[in-house]
């Protein structure tokens, strides 16, 4: 039987997905001013309080940016992989950071139709571009700080930001290839991981 915790998490995910779907559809059709959060909640069958437990704003609902939830275990696993002595970078840093990135991607697991719906909403509301850039920058700064903490680096250590930027660039390139190759089939973390792994291997080959 499904545990109470797993049931709550599944219901939370289903409610969030419904809100995201409606927010993208309505924004693409009517723009932000064409509907209210209350109307969105009524259509999705959730309360206004529940909406703001999931999303910080209507813009975040359209972009699928959930409030922090469920990432603590992944983060702690990454932090635990650092060198105990802290006098050198751990041998598994790159592999562990890639694993963290892929685990996060698996939680989101967007489909091609998800991406199309989000693009349609962004085309209707160009100001969403600004929020996308803000999200990318915030995520990068979060991960840079995470690497610095794990490896006991000084703030601003160029190695931390370099790793984050490389993995981010590879992720965007892999996503483009994934959606071009995968079409409308259900999201597959295995397929995405293989594409990503090929790019990491090519980079290592070049650098070596």
């Amino acid at each position: 039987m499904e545990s109470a915790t797993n049931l709550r998490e599944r219901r939370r995910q289903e409610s969030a997905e419904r809100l995201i779907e409606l927010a993208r559809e309505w924004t693409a059709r009517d723009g932000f001013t064409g509907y209210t959060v209350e109307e969105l909640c009524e259509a999705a069958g959730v309360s206004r309080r529940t909406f703001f437990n999931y999303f910080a704003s209507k813009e975040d609902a359209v972009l699928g940016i959930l409030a922090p939830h469920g990432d603590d275990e992944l983060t702690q696993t990454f932090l635990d992989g650092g060198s105990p002595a802290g006098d050198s970078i751990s041998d598994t840093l790159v592999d562990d950071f890639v694993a963290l990135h892929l685990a996060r991607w698996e939680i989101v697991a967007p489909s091609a139709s998800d991406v199309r719906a989000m693009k349609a909403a962004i085309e209707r509301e160009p100001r969403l571009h600004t929020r996308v850039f803000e999200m990318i920058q915030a995520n990068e700064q979060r991960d840079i700080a995470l690497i610095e903490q794990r490896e006991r680096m000084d703030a601003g250590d160029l190695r931390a930001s370099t790793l984050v930027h490389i993995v981010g660039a590879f992720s965007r390139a892999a996503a483009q290839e994934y959606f071009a190759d995968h079409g409308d089939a259900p999201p597959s973390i295995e397929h995405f991981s293989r594409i990503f792994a090929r790019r990491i291997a090519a980079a290592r080959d070049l650098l070596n």
Side-chain angles (χ1 to χ4, degrees), residues 3-17:
S3 70
T5 299
N6 289 341
L7 180 60
R8 284 195 300 271
E9 182 58 31
R10 180 168 61 82
R11 287 176 176 171
R12 179 184 190 277
Q13 182 176 352
E14 289 173 351
S15 295
E17 288 174 352

Side-chain angles (χ1 to χ4, degrees), residues 14-52 54-66 121:
E14 289 173 351
S15 295
E17 288 174 352
R18 180 59 176 157
L19 286 166
I20 292 169
E21 178 185 4
L22 287 172
R24 288 173 177 170
E25 178 185 340
W26 290 5
T27 299
R29 185 187 65 200
D30 303 319
F32 279 141
T33 60
Y35 67 95
T36 65
V37 169
E38 287 74 17
E39 290 170 336
L40 192 67
C41 293
E42 182 178 358
V46 302
S47 68
R48 190 175 188 276
R49 179 179 179 181
T50 295
F51 176 90
F52 285 106
Y54 295 167
F55 307 103
S57 65
K58 193 186 293 185
E59 290 88 344
D60 283 7
V62 173
L63 296 175
I65 305 173
L66 284 161

Side-chain angles (χ1 to χ4, degrees), residues 57 59-60 63 65 127-142:
S57 65
E59 290 88 344
D60 283 7
L63 296 175
I65 305 173
R127 59 176 158 156
L128 283 169
H129 283 290
T130 300
R131 182 66 184 111
V132 170
F133 289 129
E134 290 175 349
M135 175 189 68
I136 292 173
Q137 290 177 340
N139 288 343
E140 286 178 346
Q141 291 304 313
R142 172 202 61 191

Side-chain angles (χ1 to χ4, degrees), residues 15-163:
S15 295
E17 288 174 352
R18 180 59 176 157
L19 286 166
I20 292 169
E21 178 185 4
L22 287 172
R24 288 173 177 170
E25 178 185 340
W26 290 5
T27 299
R29 185 187 65 200
D30 303 319
F32 279 141
T33 60
Y35 67 95
T36 65
V37 169
E38 287 74 17
E39 290 170 336
L40 192 67
C41 293
E42 182 178 358
V46 302
S47 68
R48 190 175 188 276
R49 179 179 179 181
T50 295
F51 176 90
F52 285 106
N53 282 338
Y54 295 167
F55 307 103
S57 65
K58 193 186 293 185
E59 290 88 344
D60 283 7
V62 173
L63 296 175
I65 305 173
L66 284 161
H69 179 83
D71 195 32
D72 291 346
E73 186 175 347
L74 295 176
T75 298
Q76 192 57 53
T77 298
F78 175 74
L79 290 174
D80 289 344
S83 173
D87 54 358
S88 63
I89 294 179
S90 53
D91 294 337
T92 60
L93 172 60
V94 174
D95 288 337
D96 290 349
F97 185 66
V98 169
L100 173 63
H101 188 85
L102 292 175
R104 289 172 176 164
W105 196 90
E106 185 174 12
I107 292 173
V108 178
S111 65
S113 60
D114 292 333
V115 174
R116 286 195 298 268
M118 184 169 67
K119 285 182 176 178
I122 292 175
E123 288 175 2
R124 183 68 170 78
E125 287 287 352
R127 59 176 158 156
L128 283 169
H129 283 290
T130 300
R131 182 66 184 111
V132 170
F133 289 129
E134 290 175 349
M135 175 189 68
I136 292 173
Q137 290 177 340
N139 288 343
E140 286 178 346
Q141 291 304 313
R142 172 202 61 191
D143 285 340
I144 289 169
L146 200 62
I147 292 170
E148 290 173 346
Q149 179 183 350
R150 165 182 154 133
E151 301 298 330
R152 296 172 174 81
M153 294 175 175
D154 292 333
D157 192 309
L158 192 58
R159 293 171 296 180
S161 58
T162 297
L163 177 56

